[in-house]
Amino acid sequence: MWTKESLRQLVEEKLRGYLFIVVSNREPYIHTFSGREIQCQVPASGLTVALDPVMQCCGGTWIAHGSGNADADVVDKKNKVMVPPQAPQYALRRIWLSKEDEDGYYYRFSNEALWPLCHIAYTAPFFEESAWNTYRKVNQLFADNVLDEVGDREAFVFVQDYHLALLPRMIKEGNASIKVAQFWHIPWPNPEAFRVCPWQEEILDGLLGNDLLGFHILYHCHNFLDTVDKTIEAKSDRERYEVTRGAKKTVVRSFPISVDFETISREAQSEKVAAEIDRLKGELGISDELIGLGLDRFDYTKGIPNRLRAIDQFFVKYPEWKGKVVFVQAGVPSRVHITAYKRINEEIESLVEEVNWKHAARYWKPVIFIDEHLSPLSLMALRRMAHFAVVSALHDGMNLVAKEFVASRFDEDGVLVLSPFTGASRELTDAVMVNPYATDHFAEAIRKAVEMPKEERQRRMRKMREVVSNNNIFKWAADIISELVKLDIGG
Ligand code: GDG
């Protein structure tokens, strides 16, 4: 089983002498002003949650967009600050973007074009030439920072996600000796869906600058190879999962991302969590009701309206559970400048209101809605106090909320209701699977979760814990590093 320690040893052995650099849009720690005081926050992002423990273990430099209003106040001349603040382990190098650049590159191209393009969740992508030009410009800015950070040293650069599709090629053009790998955290669609993108060739060419390109599951690798075959001049080898474009070879592999199981499981047992459970229950007015939990970054891909409709249907069909089950829907609004996100936030709020109005009786209401950034302690308490958790994404690369729920349940209890359209469903086969589009089935799945006998809950949870414990985040990182080292990564 991979641990922090064995990963550290692997890095020391295999990457000795190499500078280890992670590049992503989102930074793992954000400094913001609260009045005149500077606070440090951990963002609600699956990517940073997964990679922070890896960086804490490997050391090196993480290059990302400095998005906090106090970020510039805490960095040195090289725009660097050591993190985590309580026990510094690695350097965070911040890149500054103007409002216009952030708008074009992050909001309009990454999140109004690429995000819906890859998720196919019935929200159409929106392509604008000016956004694309800014995306290219900002990718070049990231490349300039990487090249400056590397200088003439030997380096392994690990690029993250869809915001930086052009970066690998740009890095290689600047310095061909740098080893470059990229992990694509969201699904890769089929070629028919991808071909609506006017810059599909440029994006594929950028990604084929990588030595190694990773997706969560094999299905996304196949979609990627199909897209390459149908779109650009390149030779793809289906047996070896490799693409050759010109003289450059890119190896394509699946690496299901995960969480730091041991740490989550240990922290879940602390007395602080038990106290937080009591505090939260008091604050939310919960006594002995069975608690259902939804915890998401509010996004139209996460299937939150579908979930609320299923809860409504559950109480319509099984009114005997009124007053005995309460559903806590927590999470944070994200990307609020984008119209589709404003709409989903409004839809969620109005559905919560509608379901509560329809079913509420005396002091009881079916849905408790928390739309604020919660501390890691409160998130842990919510996962621990839930009888069941619902992850109902319409399409999701992996979904770490599902794995975090499993990792938190050291008591081997709790039911996971899971969408088959998440990457996580390939591994967590002992969850109660439900198609979030099928409201009646969904309501039945909730009934099953509520009524499941303890022995069955424990049997399923034990198996899921074994899976997440074996395939933890350190295994994910170790597999990527081992694969990279295996390759002939010179050219
Ligand atoms: C992308 C892919 C893939 C949620 N609310 C709060 C909060 N969270 C945390 C959760 C979890 C993270 O945010 C969300 O992770 P997900 O994996 O569910 O989703 P995305 O952000 O969409 O991540 C996804 C992931 O990348 C990794 O590859 O799994 O498929 O879409 O850790 O616990 N965190 C805090 N406050 C909250 O209120 N601090």
Side-chain angles (χ1 to χ4, degrees):
M1 195 186 294
W2 283 96
T3 61
K4 239 180 219 166
E5 205 31 60
S6 52
L7 176 64
R8 188 175 290 130
Q9 274 170 21
L10 178 88
V11 169
E12 272 166 20
E13 241 174 67
K14 305 287 185 188
L15 296 181
R16 188 174 319 138
Y18 276 85
L19 187 62
F20 185 64
I21 298 179
V22 162
V23 196
S24 70
N25 168 67
R26 173 79 63 233
E27 54 182 345
Y29 296 92
I30 305 179
H31 288 92
T32 50
F33 279 108
S34 161
R36 280 163 190 256
E37 296 268 292
I38 294 181
Q39 283 182 342
C40 185
Q41 257 195 356
V42 174
S45 146
L47 183 158
T48 56
V49 163
L51 272 155
D52 178 58
V54 174
M55 279 304 275
Q56 287 201 35
C57 158
C58 301
T61 305
W62 185 326
I63 302 178
H65 169 213
S67 58
N69 59 10
D71 274 357
D73 290 72
V74 297
V75 294
D76 64 13
K77 282 200 197 106
K78 275 266 183 190
N79 295 320
K80 285 186 185 175
V81 57
M82 291 300 289
V83 290
Q86 321 81 328
Q89 305 280 346
Y90 65 91
L92 170 60
R93 174 171 172 156
R94 287 170 166 153
I95 292 183
W96 313 116
L97 298 180
S98 66
K99 278 242 157 36
E100 295 71 39
D101 283 353
E102 189 180 354
D103 183 52
Y105 141 83
Y106 179 74
Y107 287 105
R108 290 192 289 135
F109 198 75
S110 298
N111 287 317
E112 285 195 277
L114 288 179
W115 176 270
L117 177 73
C118 290
H119 278 91
I120 326 179
Y122 302 98
T123 296
F126 190 54
F127 300 103
E128 288 170 291
E129 183 105 33
S130 63
W132 164 247
N133 289 335
T134 312
Y135 182 82
R136 270 205 326 232
K137 175 181 155 198
V138 173
N139 269 248
Q140 188 60 57
L141 181 66
F142 273 86
D144 296 344
N145 272 268
V146 169
L147 294 169
D148 175 67
E149 183 69 27
V150 172
D152 52 13
R153 289 177 286 183
E154 294 229 86
F156 164 37
V157 177
F158 189 19
V159 180
Q160 307 302 316
D161 231 355
Y162 61 99
H163 315 85
L164 301 169
L166 307 179
L167 179 59
R169 175 73 65 199
M170 290 169 172
I171 295 174
K172 286 283 188 186
E173 277 167 2
N175 180 346
S177 74
I178 299 178
K179 320 291 181 239
V180 187
Q182 182 160 19
F183 191 77
W184 193 262
H185 291 256
I186 63 176
W188 189 276
N190 61 53
E192 286 68 37
F194 195 72
R195 68 193 268 247
V196 304
C197 175
W199 300 285
Q200 51 174 342
E201 291 179 27
E202 289 87 338
I203 288 171
L204 289 172
D205 182 64
L207 290 171
L208 293 174
N210 280 298
D211 298 301
L212 174 65
L213 176 59
F215 295 96
H216 290 295
I217 56 176
L218 213 47
Y219 179 60
H220 301 152
C221 299
H222 288 149
N223 279 346
F224 180 77
L225 295 178
D226 288 348
T227 310
V228 166
D229 283 347
K230 296 234 162 81
T231 315
I232 52 170
E233 245 176 75
K235 197 168 140 287
S236 72
D237 180 332
R238 296 304 175 119
E239 273 170 26
R240 305 169 74 96
Y241 286 86
E242 287 173 8
V243 180
T244 309
R245 176 157 166 87
K248 175 89 199 81
K249 187 174 82 180
T250 303
V251 170
V252 179
R253 292 278 183 277
S254 66
F255 304 100
I257 205 165
S258 193
V259 295
D260 181 353
F261 179 89
E262 284 294 319
T263 303
I264 297 177
S265 189
R266 191 184 56 247
E267 286 179 355
Q269 300 176 43
S270 88
E271 280 180 13
K272 272 194 194 158
V273 176
E276 179 65 5
I277 291 177
D278 290 343
R279 191 194 68 78
L280 269 175
K281 279 190 169 177
E283 189 180 297
L284 303 175
I286 301 175
S287 56
D288 51 2
E289 294 95 330
L290 289 187
I291 300 168
L293 174 67
L295 178 69
D296 313 80
R297 195 170 52 67
F298 293 152
D299 193 298
Y300 53 80
T301 58
K302 304 287 181 187
I304 304 167
N306 308 58
R307 186 183 309 168
L308 293 167
R309 281 192 283 271
I311 290 161
D312 173 34
Q313 184 71 347
F314 166 74
F315 285 115
V316 167
K317 279 177 94 176
Y318 305 106
E320 65 275 21
W321 282 109
K322 287 190 184 185
K324 296 182 192 145
V325 173
V326 66
F327 194 81
V328 178
Q329 176 60 57
V332 268
S334 73
R335 305 173 191 167
V336 283
H337 303 306
I338 297 175
T339 314
Y341 285 78
K342 286 196 187 104
R343 251 190 253 127
I344 191 75
N345 288 339
E346 283 165 13
E347 190 183 355
I348 293 169
E349 269 184 48
S350 102
L351 267 168
V352 169
E353 206 271 334
E354 197 180 310
V355 177
N356 279 345
W357 178 80
K358 192 165 160 186
H359 299 284
R362 299 182 61 225
Y363 53 81
W364 174 84
K365 55 180 182 176
V367 183
I368 296 174
F369 185 53
I370 312 174
D371 61 341
E372 59 190 64
H373 195 93
L374 293 167
S375 69
L377 182 66
S378 303
L379 293 174
M380 183 70 91
L382 284 172
R383 293 193 294 261
R384 282 279 296 108
M385 65 202 234
H387 181 81
F388 66 100
V390 182
V391 170
S392 53
L394 308 179
H395 203 181
D396 215 331
M398 175 54 65
N399 194 293
L400 294 181
V401 172
K403 290 189 171 180
E404 287 164 346
F405 177 63
V406 169
S408 312
R409 299 314 294 254
F410 67 90
D411 58 344
E412 301 183 331
D413 203 349
V415 183
L416 176 63
V417 178
L418 182 61
S419 159
F421 312 128
T422 59
S425 68
R426 312 279 167 131
E427 293 167 87
L428 302 177
T429 50
D430 282 282
V432 173
M433 291 300 166
V434 71
N435 174 351
Y437 291 96
T439 309
D440 289 294
H441 290 177
F442 202 157
E444 280 310 312
I446 292 175
R447 186 183 65 87
K448 187 169 175 181
V450 167
E451 295 180 359
M452 189 179 284
K454 185 157 187 187
E455 304 78 67
E456 184 176 350
R457 298 201 300 266
Q458 290 187 324
R459 183 173 49 74
R460 287 171 181 256
M461 184 51 84
R462 239 177 255 134
K463 286 200 191 154
M464 291 194 287
R465 283 178 65 77
E466 206 180 309
V467 171
V468 182
S469 156
N470 288 331
N471 303 322
N472 62 18
I473 187 64
F474 304 112
K475 178 174 189 308
W476 175 80
D479 285 350
I480 292 176
I481 292 168
S482 307
E483 192 63 48
L484 194 76
V485 172
K486 262 200 292 184
L487 305 174
D488 167 22
I489 47 182

